[in-house]
Amino acid sequence: MTVRSRLCRLPTLALIAAGLAGIVTPTASRALGVETPSTEMERELERVHRAAAKDKPALAPAIDRRTLSVGEGDTLMDLLTGAAVPRSEASSAIAALRDVYDPRKLKAGQRVTVLFEPRRGGTRRFLGLEFVPDPVRSVSITRKGETGFTSSQVEKPVSRKLIAAQGIIRSSLFEAGSATGVPLSVMMAFIRDYSYDVDFQRDLQPGDRFEMLYEQMVTPDGTVVGDGDVLYASLALSGEDMPIYRFKTRDGRIDYYNRDGESIRRALLRTPIDGARITSGFGMRNHPILGFSKMHQGVDFGAPKGTPIYAAGRGVIEQVGPFGAYGNYIRIRHNTEVSTAYAHMSRFAKDSRRGGKVEQGDVIGYVGATGRVTGAHLHYEVLKGGRQVNPRSIDLPTGEKLAGRELQAFQQTIRALEKSFEDTRGGLQLARTPGTPDEKGCSKATSC
């Protein structure tokens, strides 16, 4: 029997499929909802398709896509084997994924699409997987040959958008920043930048002001995917302006400087912890456990257990471990004369060891309540010549001062950043809580 006579007996929908033979394969026809012919008819259509298409390649068969959600405690191996992917192929795919993404970073709720190629007899062949780990990239694993897999990722371009913010401090800097929409990470960076000179527990007063210019990372579709650097900031404390500017020197070093070109970086941080309040200062006090007056030879910062503690300056760890009433304790030697100590930690940072070198701002441990304490806090000491001194009274030298061409370039940076702040804050509403009628908003960078 000829091909033509056989086609005369096919159902109408099968004839339509035969007429489209050069466009849709039998498997793809099923995906489009075309009536499925018998096995003999499928073979006939395939022969017709080959005769009509000749050298024209057919489209790949339909792909079965299954989107799964990572459960609490699940691994990618759990997810794939649960979707009937052979363990050996799942292992190969995960090994390929490690070239572009650490599978251990998958979190509960992450959606992963697993791809299969349907085959006759109801079987499926694992082709790979794809997922979007963050808003700026997508990751895929595809089969390469019979047993191998290859990985790839596509990243969206990200641009930097300037954001201006300003506000009046009523109760705390965090509250004022939140009222203006400043992200927490940016506010923390702002605090770290000023922690060399400002005691955020004692120096801030209601009515003090802040302003800043910072970057926001944005994709072409307008999605905010992260925060960049603080470029300019100013604190007005009791009427005194304290502006700082981000500047990159010719040899590539980046730091913050005041208007005179002096680095704000000092030998030691005054506050080696973010967002904490001072619960006990340096001096005589009635000891909360011993019940009598005793010299308190440090400063206590109240903070939740687990809050990171930073090295106040560059130095070498000379003691780390349990230390009597201090509990878990670290002491860092910064030079031949000055050391700092940190007590009552819940635990130490992984790299904190005796003789280890630290840089200013490195995390050395976490707030706890070990030793003789009534609650979680950091006890912080500054030692000069082996004796505890008031951290607020010690003379802390500043870092470098720009000169010559560097100073000229920095002055141009000041003008550019202040202009960018003025241009960017166009239309800003000054975030504030109800106050006295005569209060006025800022009208000029660094002057309010």
Side-chain angles (χ1 to χ4, degrees), residues 215-259:
E215 297 171 320
Q216 207 170 58
M217 316 308 286
V218 182
T219 61
D221 61 4
T223 303
V224 177
V225 295
D227 303 307
D229 298 305
V230 175
L231 304 179
Y232 153 76
S234 182
L235 262 179
L237 303 180
S238 301
E240 179 185 356
D241 293 328
M242 300 175 63
I244 60 174
Y245 307 85
R246 188 175 187 270
F247 178 68
K248 183 176 181 179
T249 61
R250 283 179 296 174
D251 60 2
R253 288 176 295 109
I254 296 175
D255 206 344
Y256 290 87
Y257 299 83
N258 62 23
R259 289 190 68 88

Side-chain angles (χ1 to χ4, degrees), residues 136-402:
V136 298
R137 62 174 173 158
S138 58
V139 172
S140 62
I141 303 299
T142 53
R143 180 178 284 277
K144 183 180 181 182
E146 286 303 312
T147 59
F149 292 86
T150 184
S151 60
S152 63
Q153 64 177 335
V154 176
E155 296 188 3
K156 294 182 181 179
V158 176
S159 59
R160 295 173 183 265
K161 179 182 178 182
L162 295 181
I163 305 293
Q166 56 185 177
I168 299 174
I169 300 166
R170 297 299 181 197
S171 58
S172 74
L173 186 56
F174 273 115
E175 183 181 65
S178 177
T180 65
V182 177
L184 178 61
S185 61
V186 174
M187 214 66 218
M188 298 293 264
F190 180 97
I191 289 174
R192 279 196 298 271
D193 293 338
Y194 277 99
S195 61
Y196 298 97
D197 288 311
V198 176
D199 179 339
F200 287 97
Q201 175 70 15
R202 299 185 181 186
D203 293 345
L204 292 184
Q205 303 296 328
D208 288 341
R209 303 173 186 269
F210 80 93
E211 62 186 28
M212 71 172 79
L213 180 73
Y214 65 95
E215 297 171 320
Q216 207 170 58
M217 316 308 286
V218 182
T219 61
D221 61 4
T223 303
V224 177
V225 295
D227 303 307
D229 298 305
V230 175
L231 304 179
Y232 153 76
S234 182
L235 262 179
L237 303 180
S238 301
E240 179 185 356
D241 293 328
M242 300 175 63
I244 60 174
Y245 307 85
R246 188 175 187 270
F247 178 68
K248 183 176 181 179
T249 61
R250 283 179 296 174
D251 60 2
R253 288 176 295 109
I254 296 175
D255 206 344
Y256 290 87
Y257 299 83
N258 62 23
R259 289 190 68 88
D260 296 325
E262 296 173 334
S263 170
I264 65 169
R265 191 179 298 273
R266 292 180 179 269
L268 297 178
L269 297 172
R270 291 196 185 278
T271 308
I273 187 171
D274 284 333
R277 68 190 189 281
I278 293 179
T279 55
S280 183
F282 187 93
M284 292 297 295
R285 67 167 183 173
N286 187 53
H287 196 281
I289 293 179
L290 301 178
F292 55 82
S293 293
K294 187 176 185 296
M295 184 68 179
H296 187 236
Q297 296 181 313
V299 175
D300 289 349
F301 296 94
K305 182 179 178 180
T307 301
I309 299 168
Y310 306 117
R314 174 187 296 180
V316 176
I317 296 177
E318 59 181 4
Q319 184 172 339
V320 56
F323 189 44
Y326 283 105
N328 289 331
Y329 172 91
I330 285 182
R331 187 169 68 244
I332 300 173
R333 184 182 72 255
H334 301 285
N335 54 39
T336 56
E337 190 176 19
V338 176
S339 300
T340 54
Y342 315 77
H344 308 310
M345 297 180 177
S346 60
R347 59 189 175 93
F348 305 111
K350 181 174 61 175
D351 297 329
S352 293
R353 57 180 177 78
R354 186 174 181 180
K357 295 181 179 180
V358 293
E359 295 294 326
Q360 189 174 64
D362 284 353
V363 175
I364 56 173
Y366 302 87
V367 169
T370 57
R372 192 163 58 203
V373 297
T374 57
H377 71 279
L378 166 66
H379 174 80
Y380 171 60
E381 295 181 354
V382 175
L383 299 94
K384 190 171 183 180
R387 298 184 60 182
Q388 292 94 339
V389 297
N390 188 342
R392 292 176 56 85
S393 66
I394 188 171
D395 181 27
L396 300 175
T398 60
E400 68 171 324
K401 182 173 182 178
L402 301 174

Side-chain angles (χ1 to χ4, degrees), residues 76 92-103 129 131 139 141 151:
L76 186 55
S92 296
I94 293 171
L97 174 63
R98 291 192 180 98
D99 290 339
V100 296
Y101 184 80
D102 184 352
L129 58 94
F131 62 97
V139 172
I141 303 299
S151 60

